[in-house]
Amino acid sequence: MTSFDDRKDAYENKFAHDAELQFKADARCNKMLGEWAAALLGKTGAEATDYIRTVVTADFEEAGHEDVYRKLAGDLDGKADETTIRAKMAECMAEARRQVLAES
């Protein structure tokens, strides 16, 4: 192989690795958000677990995090405003990235 091919393969591998880490961080962030929202809604046990799953799967509706925001905003109407939800989303994403990077 040429050095160009080696560099191309290295970039492709790095891209795949970074995408995998981002996916893991997104899923972990959504799980944390689901736990937070479940607590605000007074859900516990199996009910909380089911709710957390709905928050995680809400992220598959479209690219980006707006689908998760809409889910949380609709569910937490009157319990948390937009600023609170978005701040919690940012906080959870920072923590999720920290955890995923620490594990890799």
Side-chain angles (χ1 to χ4, degrees):
M1 254 195 219
T2 66
S3 69
F4 177 76
D5 290 334
D6 291 340
R7 278 188 281 154
K8 181 184 106 188
D9 290 344
Y11 282 121
E12 288 174 355
N13 290 338
K14 181 180 180 340
F15 179 82
H17 178 70
D18 290 349
E20 179 183 353
L21 291 179
Q22 185 61 49
F23 178 80
K24 287 179 180 179
D26 287 344
R28 187 165 302 185
C29 172
N30 292 335
K31 182 179 179 195
M32 287 185 228
L33 288 167
E35 291 168 349
W36 170 73
L40 284 178
L41 295 169
K43 297 179 184 291
T44 59
E47 188 180 24
T49 301
D50 290 342
Y51 180 75
I52 292 164
R53 193 172 298 117
T54 67
V55 173
V56 171
T57 58
D59 196 24
F60 299 126
E61 292 176 13
E62 63 186 47
H65 301 287
E66 286 304 304
D67 42 3
V68 175
Y69 169 76
R70 280 193 305 274
K71 164 86 174 130
L72 293 172
D75 294 347
L76 297 175
D77 188 35
K79 296 188 185 299
D81 62 6
E82 179 179 2
T83 304
T84 304
I85 295 169
R86 292 199 184 274
K88 191 65 173 180
M89 289 175 77
E91 176 187 323
C92 288
M93 182 52 76
E95 178 60 20
R97 283 185 179 142
R98 187 196 65 72
Q99 288 178 10
V100 168
L101 288 175
E103 292 171 2
S104 64

